[in-house]
Structure formats: structure tokens, C-alpha cells
Amino acid sequence: MTIASRYVFFAVISTLVNFGTQELTIGLTPVAPLALSIFAGTLAGFAVKYVLDKRWIFYDGYTTHAGEARKVALYGVFSIFTTLVFWGFEITFWTVWQTDIAKYTGGAIGLALGYMAKFTLDRRFVFATAAA
């Protein structure tokens, strides 16, 4: 399996974790579930994607506590971009069509676009020594 196909596969896994967490949150939260579900899903997807990328895409081992904290922080900063694109598409699709399928379609499009940019940023800045 190539790095590109693994990256896409892991993006799908983290997207499913994201959407599954959103559905679980909506089921458990009776008031204003949209914002909370998007936040919870994003957090769960972030954690899964970081672990998968670190180990299986960039083959990055443990360095030091400070080194790992730096990687997580940079990964998080770059994830903000992905998240803003994702939320923008997801909320726009929900606003226009107001259906779950529209919301998740918008989210999937936003995540796909964001992940394409994020791979380049992570390879160059977060896991640069391991990827080199």
C-alpha cells in the first residue's frame, strides 16, 4: 500500500470516527446538538488521525517530551486550517439543505480538501526529519 493510499484510508477512518462521534453526541445531547457534535467529532477525528499519521504515514518515533509537544502543537495548528475548511463546508451544506446527508456530504468535501493541503504541511513542518 502506498503512502498516498494509506493517507486516504486513514483520512476515511478519521472521518468515520468524526461522523460517528457526531451522531453519538447528537443522540446524547437534547439541546443545541449541532455545534457540540461538530466539536466532539473534530476532537475525536484529530486524535485518531494524529496517531495514524505519526506511526504509519511519517514513521515518526518518539523523541522527547518537548519534541512530541512541539509536533502535537504544530499538527494542531495545521489542523485548524483543515477544521475551518471542514466546518465551513459542513455548516454551509447544512444551512442550504438542512438535512443530515447534506451536512455529512459537505463535511466529507471539506475534509478531503483540507487533508490534501495538510499532508504537505505535516510532511514539511511537523514530521520533517522522519519524512526526509
Side-chain angles (χ1 to χ4, degrees):
M1 187 179 259
T2 67
I3 288 177
S5 59
R6 271 196 316 271
Y7 193 81
V8 169
F9 180 65
F10 294 157
V12 169
I13 288 173
S14 66
T15 300
L16 292 173
V17 168
N18 183 320
F19 290 169
T21 302
Q22 286 191 46
E23 280 298 306
L24 181 65
T25 303
I26 287 170
L28 296 173
T29 309
V31 178
L34 180 64
L36 183 60
S37 73
I38 290 172
F39 177 77
T42 299
L43 190 61
F46 171 87
V48 168
K49 188 77 167 70
Y50 177 80
V51 170
L52 293 173
D53 282 356
K54 178 177 173 54
R55 173 68 179 97
W56 296 103
I57 299 299
F58 300 106
Y59 303 106
D60 186 66
Y62 178 82
T63 54
T64 64
H65 290 324
E68 294 304 308
R70 178 192 159 283
K71 289 175 197 172
V72 170
L74 271 176
Y75 193 88
V77 166
F78 294 142
S79 293
I80 291 170
F81 170 75
T82 304
T83 300
L84 292 175
V85 172
F86 159 59
W87 282 354
F89 274 83
E90 188 171 28
I91 291 168
T92 298
F93 275 52
W94 168 254
T95 301
V96 172
W97 290 285
Q98 298 205 359
T99 66
D100 286 342
I101 192 73
K103 179 182 107 160
Y104 292 128
T105 299
I109 292 167
L111 283 171
L113 294 172
Y115 280 143
M116 289 184 333
K118 191 166 181 319
F119 175 81
T120 303
L121 293 168
D122 289 341
R123 181 180 59 192
R124 180 157 182 193
F125 299 106
V126 178
F127 302 109
T129 57

